[in-house]
Amino acid sequence: MARYLLKRLALMVPTLLGILLLSFAVIQFVPGGPVEQLVYQLKGRGSGGEAAGGGSSGALYQGNKGLDPERLAQIRKDYGFDQPAPQRFWLMLKRYARFDLGESYYHHQSVTSLIVSKLPVSISLGVWTFLLTYLVAVPLGVAKAVRHGSRFDAVSTLILMLGYAIPGFVLGVVLLVLFGGGSFWQLFPLRGLTSDGWAQLSMLGKVTDYLWHLVLPVTAMVAGSFATVTVLTKNSMLEEIRKQYVLTARAKGLSETRIRYRHIFRNALIPLLTGFPEAFIGAFFTGSLLIETLFSLDGLGLLSYESVIRRDYPVVLGALFLFSIIGLVTKLLSDLCYALADPRLRFEGAPA
């Protein structure tokens, strides 16, 4: 196991370098870079979004007309574009080795502090989505497997498929119209994670207000996840129920409850456990851009999208670097969870 861990950790370095190199190379050819956008803003020819529509060289040439060459050279130097691309990439790698993600072009603050400031929203959405998905979907999948073919199984499957078929953003709009004061009832707040007077509330009031704000966005996010986890749990249970060791356990006189939860459920959890770390970490950081936009939640999803539109390259590459590390570590944890769940697995190839 130790040898396998060292090998996987060593492979993470070239993988991470490859991700950064490819992303950095693609960025060099993206039109409407930060220099071009600032030139357009200084010339009063529109916002950064308008500048992003044209080609990089053409936009810069048009923006140069009437602009002081010394001022343009200073802008390039401020953004670091006075240096060749290989040198800029090397300097970026040296900063990232110290976990210095640089400074945002647009927000004028460190990328690390910017990401940290957006974490409360993404963590709130991710944690509650993850917990509700697994705490509800796994028991529901077990119940559907035990009652396979019954009316309960058919009705619950129909409801799950409807939830899976409706996109989260569309469901969010429906929830806002129904319960957010659109055309029917105003039961839940429309935006944010807390109310304006949240600081003056009691502890119980703060918790209640926070949870009340999360009802609609979390409901919109978990609707599609329920079906996937529930069906996976049910199919895993059904596959284990048909195996020979279940018949053997019944022949020995073991109770159905013990067979179901001591043997079948433990083996059926293996497919879920392999994806458990990835789902847990992903729930923190992936979030949903559309959900955050719909409910006016300023999280990492919205930050990433705005950074791409504004060509805020330090934020784009810094977030990519951080999430790539998290993704690589998560895949390693998934393999380790598989080994813990199935003792027959040996990474070194030794017999079980």
Side-chain angles (χ1 to χ4, degrees):
M1 179 69 75
R3 183 180 178 182
Y4 173 80
L5 287 176
L6 292 176
K7 184 185 299 184
R8 286 291 299 270
L9 291 174
L11 288 175
M12 287 182 185
V13 176
T15 303
L16 186 60
L17 289 176
I19 294 173
L20 292 176
L21 178 59
L22 180 61
S23 303
F24 186 85
V26 170
I27 281 177
Q28 306 309 306
F29 301 98
V30 175
V35 174
E36 290 88 338
Q37 294 203 22
L38 183 57
V39 167
Y40 265 67
Q41 292 174 10
L42 293 176
K43 294 287 294 178
R45 297 190 54 181
S47 63
E50 295 172 347
S56 177
S57 59
L60 182 57
Y61 175 77
Q62 296 295 330
N64 280 342
K65 291 184 177 181
L67 188 67
D68 185 2
E70 295 182 359
R71 180 70 182 278
L72 179 61
Q74 184 61 42
I75 293 174
R76 286 182 169 276
K77 184 176 181 181
D78 292 341
Y79 283 128
F81 286 95
D82 59 327
Q83 302 172 347
Q87 185 176 355
R88 285 188 279 119
F89 180 71
W90 172 247
L91 293 175
M92 183 188 74
L93 290 182
K94 291 201 297 184
R95 290 199 315 269
Y96 285 3
R98 305 189 304 269
F99 284 91
D100 177 10
L101 303 183
E103 183 174 330
S104 169
Y105 293 154
Y106 183 82
H107 298 277
H108 303 291
Q109 66 180 99
S110 69
V111 176
T112 302
S113 63
L114 192 59
I115 292 176
V116 170
S117 67
K118 309 296 182 182
L119 280 179
V121 172
S122 297
I123 289 178
S124 296
L125 291 176
V127 168
W128 289 110
T129 299
F130 175 83
L131 290 177
L132 288 176
T133 298
Y134 277 84
L135 291 178
V136 175
V138 172
L140 180 59
V142 174
K144 286 173 62 62
V146 174
R147 299 170 178 81
H148 179 61
S150 65
R151 180 178 299 179
F152 167 79
D153 184 30
V155 172
S156 60
T157 299
L158 177 61
I159 296 175
L160 288 172
M161 290 301 103
L162 288 175
Y164 182 77
I166 300 176
F169 180 73
V170 175
L171 180 59
V173 173
V174 173
L175 292 175
L176 282 178
V177 172
L178 291 177
F179 306 109
S183 301
F184 296 91
W185 306 279
Q186 188 170 0
L187 301 179
F188 299 97
L190 295 175
R191 61 184 64 228
L193 285 181
T194 56
S195 301
D196 293 336
W198 185 79
Q200 285 72 40
L201 297 176
S202 63
M203 181 58 67
L204 179 60
K206 289 181 179 179
V207 173
T208 303
D209 181 76
Y210 165 74
L211 294 177
W212 203 244
H213 278 75
L214 283 174
V215 171
L216 295 186
V218 170
T219 301
M221 290 185 66
V222 302
S225 303
F226 275 151
T228 303
V229 179
T230 302
V231 172
L232 179 60
T233 304
K234 176 190 173 182
N235 292 340
S236 298
M237 288 284 295
L238 290 177
E239 183 179 355
E240 295 297 324
I241 288 175
R242 301 187 182 101
K243 290 187 176 179
Q244 185 64 38
Y245 74 87
V246 177
L247 298 177
T248 303
R250 286 172 177 164
K252 290 182 177 180
L254 297 179
S255 64
E256 284 295 324
T257 302
R258 184 174 182 182
I259 294 174
R260 184 182 305 162
Y261 294 102
R262 184 73 179 272
H263 300 282
I264 298 176
F265 182 65
R266 178 182 178 182
N267 292 325
L269 278 180
I270 292 178
L272 292 175
L273 287 176
T274 56
F276 192 86
E278 186 173 357
F280 183 72
I281 300 298
F284 279 83
F285 296 101
T286 55
S288 173
L289 169 62
L290 296 178
I291 296 298
E292 290 181 8
T293 304
L294 180 62
F295 293 95
S296 300
L297 301 172
D298 191 11
L300 290 175
L302 190 58
L303 173 65
S304 300
Y305 171 75
E306 291 178 346
S307 299
V308 172
I309 294 300
R310 294 165 175 164
R311 304 299 190 264
D312 197 349
Y313 294 152
V315 177
V316 174
L317 290 172
L320 178 66
F321 171 73
L322 180 62
F323 297 159
S324 297
I325 293 178
I326 294 174
L328 292 172
V329 174
T330 300
K331 295 298 293 183
L332 177 59
L333 292 177
S334 297
D335 292 343
L336 296 180
C337 284
Y338 190 88
L340 294 176
D342 190 352
R344 298 169 297 178
L345 181 65
R346 293 294 184 273
F347 288 118
E348 287 82 3

